[in-house]
Structure formats: C-alpha cells, structure tokens
Amino acid sequence: MAFLGTAVWRVFGYRHPLGPLCRARCYSVQSEFTTEKSVPYAKTLKQEDGLSGPTKPLPRAADAVVIGGGSLGCQTLYHLCKMGMTNVVLLERDRLTAGTTWHTAGLLWQLRPSDTEVELLAHTRRVVSSELEAETGLETGWIQNGGLFIASNKQRLDEYKRLMSLGKVYGIESHVLSPAETKELYPLMNVKDLYGTLYVPKDGTMDPAGTCTTLSRAATARGAMVIENCPVTGIQVQTDHMGVRRVKAVETDFGTIETPCVVNCAGVWATKLGKMVGVNVPLIAMHHAYVVTERIEGIQNMPNVRDHDASVYLRLQGDALSVGGYEQNPIFWDEVSDKFAFSLFNLDWDVFMQHIEGAINRVPALEQTGIKSTVCGPGPGCGSSTARPVGMMLGGGCGKELAHWIIHGRPEKDMYGYDIRRFHHSLTNNNRWIRERSHESYAKNYSVVFPFDEPLAGRKMRKDPFHQLLQEQGCVFQERHGWERPGWFHKEGPAPVLDYDYYGAYGIPTHSDYKYNQLLGKEYTFDFPPHHDTIRDECMTCRKAVAVFNMSYFGKFYLTGPDAKKAADWLFTADVNKAPGSTVYTCMLNEKGGTESDLTVSRLEPGPAHLPLTPESNGDAYYMAVGGGVAQHNWSHIRTVLQDKGFICTLTDHSEDMGMISIQGPKSRDLLQEVLDTDLSNEAFPFSTHKIVTAAGHKVSLCGEVVVRQVVWPSLVSRSQEFGAVCEGLWWAWTDGSMTAPPLGLVTFNSHSLLHSLLSFFYSLTLSFHFSLFLSHSLLSFTRSPFSSFLSFSFAVSLFEVFIFPFLLLSLTLFNFPSLPLCNFLLVYSLNSFSHCQHSESVGL
C-alpha cells in the first residue's frame, strides 16, 4: 500500500525517468488504456460480455435523436419528454455513462461567478436531489454533505464574498467562515494559511450511474427510446428549396432513423460527430485524473473541499477522499479512440503529484493515508474559450435549455456562453487556437475570475492594418472574436502580445520581462484598476477635443436582393427604410422580444459595385456595422431569419476586407474637414447621412452618426502605404498647429456609451433582455443620483409589467431618436483592389 506522502515518492524510484526531450515536449500522447480499474462506485454500468447489436430495434423515424448516453444526453432526453416531445430516441454506442460520465467525480457546487450558471446549477440540483426521486421512486445517489471553498489570500476571499452576495439573490444559503470557524467545521483541515472559507451547506455529490439510470427510466416511461450498443456511422443532410442544408436522418450499422433534429451530446467524440454534417466543434480531449484514498479516521460527513489556489479538490467518498484537480501541464489525447468505453489511462504521477502536495497541505492526515485506486480518464478541454464541457454539474440546466431550444426555437436563459455561434468560423477549425485556448482554460479553471482579465493563448489570430502602428503607440490590446482590438494605451511604451508559452508547461520557457502579462497582472482586482486614471484622461481628451478609435474588429455585412426591404423590416426594430444615404441605430430582436443585437444600418444608393465600399444593387441594399465580439452570432441570426422567412436575399460578409475608425469629440468635424474634400456643415451633411467621399486621394464612406464616426479600408498590410496618408491625416492633422487627434482605446469608447445612454451587448443588452426595458434604461439617463436612478428603474420595470405594449412602442421611438449632443462621423475607407477573399452567403439565388 502506497501512502500519499513519502511512499508516493518511493514509487518514483521504480519508474523509468523521462528523457530531456520527452520532458520538453511530452504533452500529447497516443495513450495506452486499460479495462482494468478500481472505481469508487458500488454500481457501475459495464458492458456485458458477448453483447452485440442494439438493445432495441430502431424506429423508422423520430422527432429528435440524441447521440450520446452520458449525463448531458440523458438530461436532454428527459427534459424533451417532460416538455411534451416524447417521440425521441437516444443512441449510445456502448452503454449509458460510457466514455467520460461513468468515472466523473460528480461534484455539485452551487455558486459560480456567472448568474446564468448559478441558475443552471440550481436546476441540476433540483432534478437530481428531489424531482427524479419524486417522479420515479428511484434514488439517484445524491448526497448533500455541503461544499467548502478555501481562500488563501485576500483577493480569493473577496471573490467568495461576491459569490455569497450573488447566492443571496437566488436564495442559496452560504456563509463566509473565519479560519477558526473552518477548523470547527472541518477538524482535519490545516487552517494556518487561510484568510477564510465559503461554506455552502446544500452543495453535494451526484452518482453518475444512479443519475443516468433514473433519467433514462423517467424518459422511457414518457415514451422515449434508449438504444444502447448502437454506434452512429453517419448523418444524412438534404438541401431544401432555399438552399439550406438540413438534417434528414441518422445512420447506423443496424438501420436508419429519419429525423429533422440531431443533438450532439457525444462528449470528447463530439468533434467527430460534428464533421459528419460539416460542423467544426472546437474541442480537444485531455487526461483528467483523481485518486481514491484508504479509510481516513474522522473524515465522515465532512463537506467537499475546493482549494482553488492549490488547484485541488477533495471529494468525500464515504470514509475516504477522492483527490483531484486541474494542473498546468495536462496531457492531450489527440487520437480519440472509438473503442474507448469503460477504460482508463495509466496515471502519470509526474503530472498528478502537484495535487498530492496541495491536498497534504490542506489535510495533513493524507500524508500517512494509503491510495486505494487511481482513476485517469478522458475529458474535454474546459472553459468558455472553446466548446464548453457541461459535465454533470451543469447537465441538468443545460439539458433543459437544449430541450427548450429544440421545441421552441431558442433557450429560456441567456445561453450565449454555450452557443457555438460565439466563435468566428475562422477559429473553430484552427488547431493552434483550439489547443492553446483549451490549455489555458484548463490551467486557469480555478483562477480568480477578474473583470479585466484577457487570455494569453490563441492571440493575434486576426489583425487589422493599424495593429503595428497602435502597438508602437503603447496600445494594450484586448481579444474579441479572434481580433486584436485596442483596449487602452500604456504611456510607457509598447506592450506587445507574445506567442503563448503554456505558462512554462511541457518544458517551454516562460517569457521573461513580458510587459503585456505584467500589465494584466496589475489589472487583477475587483477595485478600480491601475489604468482607471488613463481612461479618465482619454475620456477628457475625447470630451474636450478630438480622438480616434480603431473599430476595425466590427462586423461589416451587406444585405441585398429582391426581398432586402422585407427582410430589413422584419429584422430591425427601427424603420431603416429612410432615403438612400441614411443611417439608423437600431436593434435586432428574436421572436420572444429578446435582444439579439444592437447595430447601425445604412441604406445604400442603388448602382454598380465598388467593393468593398458598396455592393452591386439594382434595388434595396443595406450596410450593417455590428459589434465585433458578436459578429458571428449576428451573422447566424440574420441568416436564420432569411432562411426561415423565405426572403430571397444575399448576405455578404466584408469584415476582413474593410477597416473602421471612429472619430469623436467636439472638434471631430474640424479634423475630418482637414482630410476630406466634402463640406461637413449641418446643411450639406445632416445627421445620419451616408456618402462616398474622398480622403487623402482614396474613396471612403462617410457617415454622420449618433456617437460613432468610423473609417473603413481593406485589410491589406502589404499596401499600407496607400492609406498611410489617411491615417496620419486623422491622427496628426493640425488646425492652426494646435489640435492633435490621439488614438484611444475601446475601454474609453465604451465609457462614453454611458454618457449617451447607449446600450452595450453583454453589459446592458443580453439575449434575454426585453426591448421594452429600454425605456427604463432611458429613464436612468435623465437621473443624476444613484437613489433617483434606482427609483426610476424600479418604477419603469413596474410599469412595463403592466403596460408592455404601449411602452414598447415608446421604446421604439426613443431608440431611433437623435437627441445626443456629439456630432459624429463614420468614415468607410477602401482601396480599389484587395487580396482578401470575401466571405459571402447567398440565400435562394
């Protein structure tokens, strides 16, 4: 019997040491796996010897087919049936829980920094702890022993206090405990290095086998079919009369099931399943491990523990503990085997040992405790950066939202963080981006979630022609949708983003004197960040004079075709069918009244093509500028509307072909007049005008808007000399030698939206935000104190609950009302030729 402490080190003496080369690059393996295992569950669903063929005959057709019999697949099937769709089938290639679910730790923590995830977790707990047992009479294996989060520093304790406050909103009981109170609750714990803990009494542990068995029985009792030992070999698609590819059937070696809907719940095998229909699922598999100890005296009835700073968790396992965590050097599983079902990998102690050290520090009794078994299985890379692994914790909530999405066309909650449309299509098939972002998300899974954090992985995927010039000016870039967008400007010189160093893992040397990373480290606070004063100075510069913002990361779409006007009337809340050459700031809503986007729409003059500035059009044509961070989501929403409504239109994406600059401030007109050959007076260029003009000898599109004025040009770094005159003219033009136009960042730009009562996606607007609530936001802009703001907001919300329709009409009027003080201009600049290929999508033509 090995002990977790000194005995484990003795085990290393019998292992062949890794060579220097292997140490440097041994982070991706074609792993050997074994069916020999010892797992901490009394009941594990295992394949029966000699079983071949599906457990039930396949039906001819189904309303939906769920592929994957893990936690999420079973939860989705159960909720589909509960919502009334009972003609559904779940196909599992082996047995239920095979692959990743059967060996999961099954922990459920109710508090997370995301309000959406708190709601999803609450639903999972409700289903597993009470609803299933009440419905079926079967126990799921739920154990409510509580959860304890460990704070080893002040910042972590501050995060826990914020979590506790969030929990109060949702009725989740939680308590911040002192070290002494923690010791009283958990006598075996070392509390000498603690600042405090967060205790949630109603956290607990789920049993994978018991939960999935109960879910499947509840679903089959309502009419669903669960068919095991039936691998999917293909998915048939067909093209409808609008040119849209839709699912037709699911193929297996034992028959075909006709269905209009397939739900991919295949876990680490989801990537292969997605390729069957041409969908890139940005996911990569990794080894994830824990060990189960021998009996520990006095551990019974203790809460589960998460020591985030040590990146380790301690799960109560009867009279023992399961010890696991998230290391900075996880092993990637590149060649995922289709034969892997109830198998495990051999545990790599070189990787896992860091968790042992953290566990022993937290519970010293573990040093003399034996190891009963090791569990090392596959798991998807975690975090919001890539395809999000749901796991058992979030399975219930996500299963319900998936079911609602399938039946009603959209989820009830704001599920943007789980929507594959949050990724730009250029990233979902980029192996470097997927690998780096998956690693960083895994390695930082237990890190404090700060509001100003930025990823170091997967950077510099999309850059505009101004990137190098802005970097030389001290720009601190932010990553959005793969773009490097300017965040704010550091006054002490350039702070470039460097290639990802995997935090020193796999023998890759960490960057020394990494200025960008050092600046981010200073921003890790829940208080005002150090760059707050810089933003203040930038805001004052823009307010008193003039400033230039690089908005090139924005999405830039054209909508043309015979039904373009009908589509625009359906898509946008404001009336965008003004005279050609007009621009309107508006929203896009979904059928439930939730907000999909805020954007500007310009109606274009019909005429020949001058791409990328204007498309060819003999009728109605529209140019849309949408937030860069949600461009793919907006693109998908517009396409879906065109397809579902049968509008004969062409939607074209020129985001890569054009850049965009916003000029703001009371002297913006004076600055622009220096480089343009057009009269910008109110009479010649009234509010919301859109024109093609000449700047520094090149054609640009100029638009006077409410808050934004932007310049757009082709992303041709190799020909940057052609627009250099325009850039320099905007940033360093003088009027009587006294006015300059410094480049500013998007943090300052977003700060101005508060002044002008403009809504911002993610912050003011979400997918569940109802447009009628815009009036409450508008009322806030007329108040001057926090108390009056609170009163006006509460009053407005109360009114909307009773008078939704009339206030919706008023909101539509207010949203298109040009009452803001600044005179802003949009410049769209283009070279006559460009090398980037445009990405276009034609619907029905």
Side-chain angles (χ1 to χ4, degrees):
M1 178 180 69
F3 293 102
L4 285 178
T6 55
V8 168
W9 292 105
R10 287 198 291 270
V11 173
F12 282 22
Y14 298 95
R15 294 171 55 87
H16 295 290
L18 296 174
L21 179 62
C22 188
R23 281 201 185 107
R25 291 286 184 255
C26 187
Y27 61 92
S28 176
V29 297
Q30 183 177 354
S31 303
E32 298 289 337
F33 54 87
T34 175
T35 56
E36 297 295 328
K37 53 195 172 291
S38 176
V39 297
Y41 302 114
K43 298 180 180 179
T44 302
L45 300 177
K46 297 184 180 181
Q47 183 174 346
E48 298 174 5
D49 294 335
L51 183 64
S52 63
T55 54
K56 294 178 183 177
L58 273 65
R60 182 188 65 82
D63 293 333
V65 174
V66 179
I67 302 176
S71 169
L72 180 60
C74 291
Q75 290 278 10
T76 303
L77 184 77
Y78 167 73
H79 284 94
L80 282 171
C81 293
K82 198 168 183 179
M83 293 181 187
M85 182 182 284
T86 56
N87 182 25
V88 290
V89 177
L90 185 148
L91 297 179
E92 165 55 47
R93 64 184 177 86
D94 200 276
R95 289 289 190 177
L96 291 184
T97 75
T100 60
T101 296
W102 73 274
H103 60 72
T104 185
L107 294 163
L108 193 150
W109 318 92
Q110 295 181 83
L111 293 181
R112 286 202 177 192
S114 163
D115 54 347
T116 297
E117 291 192 354
V118 169
E119 294 174 2
L120 297 176
L121 290 165
H123 182 74
T124 300
R125 185 188 179 282
R126 192 160 50 247
V127 169
V128 174
S129 66
S130 58
E131 289 184 4
L132 277 176
E133 185 173 351
E135 185 175 338
T136 64
L138 301 174
E139 294 186 1
T140 63
W142 167 255
I143 300 173
Q144 183 177 297
N145 60 313
L148 196 61
F149 286 178
I150 307 300
S152 301
N153 55 67
K154 182 182 181 300
Q155 286 183 328
R156 185 69 74 175
L157 190 60
D158 288 343
E159 182 187 39
Y160 292 165
K161 291 176 181 178
R162 294 165 70 92
L163 291 179
M164 183 178 69
S165 298
L166 180 61
K168 289 180 179 179
V169 176
Y170 291 98
I172 299 173
E173 180 186 358
S174 61
H175 310 276
V176 172
L177 305 181
S178 67
E181 292 170 324
T182 302
K183 185 71 173 181
E184 184 178 352
L185 174 68
Y186 203 120
L188 294 180
M189 182 172 291
N190 168 32
V191 299
K192 294 180 180 179
D193 58 345
L194 297 190
Y195 274 65
T197 56
L198 178 65
Y199 176 52
V200 185
K202 295 184 180 179
D203 284 353
T205 311
M206 300 171 286
D207 171 41
T211 299
C212 290
T213 299
T214 309
L215 286 167
S216 63
R217 291 190 181 181
T220 54
R222 294 175 181 266
M225 292 185 66
V226 176
I227 304 176
E228 299 172 277
N229 204 43
C230 186
V232 171
T233 58
I235 300 175
Q236 297 179 12
V237 296
Q238 63 182 359
T239 304
D240 65 14
H241 68 287
M242 292 293 294
V244 181
R245 297 174 70 246
R246 301 187 186 276
V247 169
K248 180 183 179 182
V250 174
E251 299 174 343
T252 74
D253 289 334
F254 310 103
T256 300
I257 304 175
E258 295 182 1
T259 181
C261 178
V262 170
V263 190
N264 186 348
C265 298
V268 298
W269 292 267
T271 300
K272 180 178 180 180
L273 199 64
K275 289 181 179 178
M276 294 181 181
V277 292
V279 174
N280 296 319
V281 180
L283 182 146
I284 194 167
M286 299 178 179
H287 291 200
H288 189 62
Y290 60 86
V291 300
V292 184
T293 72
E294 296 286 355
R295 184 178 186 275
I296 303 173
E297 185 64 37
I299 204 69
Q300 296 85 350
N301 301 318
M302 290 295 102
N304 300 318
V305 174
R306 251 189 181 183
D307 191 338
H308 291 93
D309 295 314
S311 195
V312 66
Y313 65 79
L314 307 174
R315 174 193 185 273
L316 183 67
Q317 190 68 51
D319 58 0
L321 287 177
S322 296
V323 179
Y326 292 87
E327 57 276 0
Q328 291 203 352
N329 57 336
I331 299 173
F332 291 93
W333 190 29
D334 287 326
E335 299 182 17
V336 178
S337 171
D338 290 339
K339 298 180 180 180
F340 196 102
F342 291 97
S343 303
L344 294 172
F345 304 114
N346 293 319
L347 181 64
D348 189 326
W349 283 102
D350 292 325
V351 174
F352 191 80
M353 193 60 198
Q354 55 194 291
H355 304 312
I356 298 296
E357 295 170 351
I360 291 175
N361 175 65
R362 191 54 53 217
V363 181
L366 288 173
E367 188 168 11
Q368 299 301 319
T369 302
I371 301 172
K372 182 165 61 175
S373 62
T374 65
V375 180
C376 182
C382 68
S384 61
S385 296
T386 57
R388 206 176 188 96
V390 171
M392 287 202 70
M393 271 196 294
L394 295 161
C398 288
K400 179 185 176 183
E401 295 304 312
L402 266 176
H404 197 278
W405 208 330
I406 293 166
I407 294 173
H408 301 287
R410 64 175 302 99
E412 284 187 300
K413 304 186 188 306
D414 179 10
M415 297 295 287
Y416 183 83
Y418 295 81
D419 192 335
I420 197 170
R421 296 175 298 176
R422 72 190 186 276
F423 304 125
H424 190 260
H425 61 83
S426 67
L427 302 177
T428 55
N429 199 32
N430 187 304
N431 291 330
R432 180 177 77 85
W433 181 81
I434 296 171
R435 195 178 197 85
E436 290 183 3
R437 293 296 283 268
S438 295
H439 172 269
E440 185 174 43
S441 295
Y442 188 97
K444 294 181 65 175
N445 191 43
Y446 279 179
S447 297
V448 177
V449 180
F450 290 107
F452 306 104
D453 197 10
E454 289 290 328
L456 298 177
R459 299 295 295 266
K460 300 183 291 186
M461 306 302 298
R462 305 170 76 190
K463 297 186 294 184
D464 62 74
F466 276 167
H467 180 271
Q468 183 62 33
L469 186 58
L470 292 176
Q471 181 173 286
E472 293 171 358
Q473 295 295 315
C475 181
V476 179
F477 287 96
Q478 300 173 327
E479 189 276 339
R480 297 294 183 273
H481 227 45
W483 285 104
E484 294 293 319
R485 77 168 195 181
W488 51 282
F489 282 81
H490 182 53
K491 298 179 180 179
E492 298 180 9
V497 177
L498 304 180
D499 292 339
Y500 187 52
D501 61 7
Y502 285 86
Y503 293 90
Y506 316 123
I508 300 174
T510 57
H511 296 302
S512 60
D513 194 25
Y514 190 179
K515 195 170 185 179
Y516 181 83
N517 194 17
Q518 294 169 1
L519 289 174
L520 285 185
K522 296 176 182 178
E523 306 297 302
Y524 291 164
T525 176
F526 293 111
D527 204 342
F528 288 112
H531 75 256
H532 182 70
D533 292 340
T534 301
I535 302 305
R536 177 200 61 199
D537 296 340
E538 290 187 2
C539 287
M540 295 307 295
T541 298
C542 184
R543 181 166 186 147
K544 294 181 178 180
V546 62
V548 177
F549 298 89
N550 182 11
M551 311 287 287
S552 298
Y553 82 110
F554 263 44
K556 310 162 195 80
F557 308 148
Y558 288 119
L559 179 65
T560 58
D563 291 340
K565 183 178 182 299
K566 293 180 181 179
D569 287 339
W570 183 270
L571 282 165
F572 309 121
T573 57
D575 181 10
V576 299
N577 289 302
K578 309 292 184 180
S582 299
T583 298
V584 175
Y585 177 52
T586 183
C587 269
M588 288 193 295
L589 306 184
N590 51 55
E591 293 184 351
K592 298 296 183 181
T595 308
E596 292 287 336
S597 171
D598 69 318
L599 70 163
T600 57
V601 180
S602 299
R603 189 177 183 188
L604 305 177
E605 296 273 1
H610 294 287
L611 292 174
L613 284 180
T614 57
E616 180 179 1
S617 173
N618 296 322
D620 296 301
Y622 302 89
Y623 164 72
M624 293 163 281
V626 303
V630 291
Q632 187 70 45
H633 175 88
N634 286 193
W635 171 268
S636 300
H637 172 72
I638 297 171
R639 279 183 52 197
T640 300
V641 170
L642 299 182
Q643 294 165 4
D644 292 348
K645 301 303 176 183
F647 295 130
I648 303 176
C649 301
T650 299
L651 182 66
T652 310
D653 183 359
H654 283 276
S655 301
E656 303 285 347
D657 309 323
M658 297 189 289
M660 188 176 285
I661 291 182
S662 171
I663 303 97
Q664 295 195 24
K667 298 182 180 180
S668 57
R669 188 188 305 270
D670 299 333
L671 172 65
L672 287 169
Q673 196 67 77
E674 289 289 312
V675 296
L676 298 180
D677 62 354
T678 302
D679 182 5
L680 298 181
S681 64
N682 290 331
E683 294 75 18
F685 205 101
F687 168 79
S688 289
T689 299
H690 184 279
K691 290 183 180 180
I692 303 296
V693 297
T694 300
H698 301 286
K699 291 294 183 182
V700 301
S701 178
L702 175 65
C703 177
E705 281 192 20
V706 178
V707 166
V708 235
R709 325 127 179 96
Q710 307 162 346
V711 173
V712 189
W713 70 98
S715 297
L716 290 178
V717 179
S718 61
R719 301 184 63 185
S720 60
Q721 67 276 9
E722 297 195 23
F723 54 80
V726 177
C727 303
E728 293 188 11
L730 288 173
W731 282 351
W732 292 289
W734 265 267
T735 298
D736 297 329
S738 60
M739 187 183 69
T740 60
L744 303 184
L746 271 295
V747 177
T748 297
F749 182 90
N750 291 334
S751 299
H752 289 167
S753 68
L754 296 176
L755 172 65
H756 300 291
S757 191
L758 287 183
L759 306 182
S760 175
F761 206 80
F762 292 128
Y763 302 101
S764 307
L765 294 174
T766 66
L767 296 178
S768 58
F769 181 95
H770 278 268
F771 190 61
S772 57
L773 288 180
F774 172 76
L775 182 57
S776 66
H777 178 83
S778 300
L779 289 176
L780 291 181
S781 66
F782 293 104
T783 61
R784 291 294 181 267
S785 71
F787 182 67
S788 60
S789 297
F790 172 76
L791 288 180
S792 63
F793 180 81
S794 302
F795 174 69
V797 171
S798 299
L799 287 178
F800 293 138
E801 292 175 351
V802 183
F803 303 108
I804 290 291
F805 182 71
F807 276 92
L808 176 58
L809 295 179
L810 182 56
S811 298
L812 291 173
T813 304
L814 288 174
F815 204 77
N816 196 30
F817 185 72
S819 61
L820 303 179
L822 290 182
C823 175
N824 308 317
F825 294 90
L826 176 68
L827 285 176
V828 181
Y829 167 76
S830 173
L831 297 179
N832 293 327
S833 62
F834 54 94
S835 62
H836 287 279
C837 295
Q838 65 187 29
H839 175 70
S840 62
E841 183 84 18
S842 296
V843 180
L845 293 177

